Amino acid sequence: MRPAPGEVLHFSEDPTITRFVPHVARTARQSEAYVWAVDGGRAPDYWFPRQCPRAMAWTVPGTTAADRARILGPGGGERVHAIEYDWLDRLRTTELFAYRLPAAAFRPFGDPVPSAVVATEPVVPLGPPEPVGDLLKLHRDAGIQLRVLDNLWGFWDGVITSTLGFSGIRLRNAKPAREPGPEQPVRTAPSPVLRKPVRRRLTPPPA
């Protein structure tokens, strides 16, 4: 599910939206009210249930062969998405919808590389919402490796210190991270994406 030329997409589990009004999301780090959407390069970030924690990585021009082998693995393609086992059934059963919106109403959001597009005025969809369909099949057809893990944090720690592009969404919903060793106590991660002072690379993969 990708936008056509002149379009951007908003993914939702609600098929009844007729008008998108700018708002400040509960998890927002900025005070401005926006309507949020994504272009074709970032659409795969949202092929999930809304609250599903996911860690994603993809090759960029500066990706080293060693990091590609370490994160993507042999035959792993250009991109990998990781979720937890606890979310697999919901990935299989959630009914997701895509709203097509006029791209002209939006501007890029994010620095140095945009991770979304935003509008500051209400936006009316170009048509009724479209069922996205089987989310596993969507990944397969796009050639995206889908990795299912018991805990995301070991993978995420490897990704954010690599030369791949990456993005983490809803990581606050992931299981707590654990220190190495079966007898070690759970350590909490109240702000998981910012646990390490690294520069986030958010360059989208080629469409």
Side-chain angles (χ1 to χ4, degrees):
M1 176 66 70
R2 308 267 188 170
E7 298 176 349
V8 293
L9 294 180
H10 180 96
F11 292 93
S12 177
E13 295 172 27
D14 181 358
T16 67
I17 303 171
T18 58
R19 185 171 179 261
F20 289 88
V21 177
H23 70 287
V24 178
R26 182 173 60 86
T27 57
R29 297 177 183 175
Q30 73 291 320
S31 59
E32 297 86 356
Y34 294 128
V35 175
W36 295 85
V38 289
D39 61 15
R42 301 314 295 255
D45 294 17
Y46 294 89
W47 294 347
F48 298 90
R50 174 177 172 79
Q51 296 300 330
C52 177
R54 59 265 199 191
M56 299 164 286
W58 52 84
T59 58
V60 295
T63 297
T64 66
D67 279 347
R68 178 174 184 146
R70 179 170 62 92
I71 302 297
L72 295 174
E78 303 296 322
R79 181 168 180 139
V80 58
H81 291 175
I83 65 170
E84 294 175 336
Y85 278 106
D86 290 350
W87 285 88
L88 184 57
D89 283 345
R90 276 169 281 190
L91 184 76
R92 288 170 168 158
T93 59
T94 293
E95 190 171 10
L96 192 66
F97 298 88
Y99 290 85
R100 297 185 183 274
L101 307 176
F106 292 81
R107 62 174 174 82
F109 180 90
D111 182 65
V113 178
S115 58
V117 293
V118 295
T120 55
E121 299 292 334
V123 181
V124 175
L126 295 171
E130 301 175 22
V132 174
D134 186 329
L135 299 178
L136 286 174
K137 183 177 184 297
L138 202 61
H139 279 79
R140 183 192 67 188
D141 292 349
I144 297 174
Q145 179 187 165
L146 184 63
R147 195 172 299 177
V148 185
L149 305 170
D150 181 62
N151 190 291
L152 287 179
W153 294 111
F155 175 76
W156 181 243
D157 287 343
V159 163
I160 63 176
T161 56
S162 76
T163 55
L164 279 80
F166 60 84
S167 179
I169 297 178
R170 298 291 190 272
L171 292 180
R172 68 182 183 279
N173 295 338
K175 289 182 178 180
R178 291 183 179 274
E179 299 289 354
E183 302 303 322
Q184 295 295 325
V186 173
R187 57 185 171 94
T188 59
S191 299
V193 174
L194 301 177
R195 288 186 305 133
K196 290 190 175 183
V198 298
R199 180 173 61 85
R200 300 187 67 190
R201 288 174 296 280
L202 294 173
T203 305

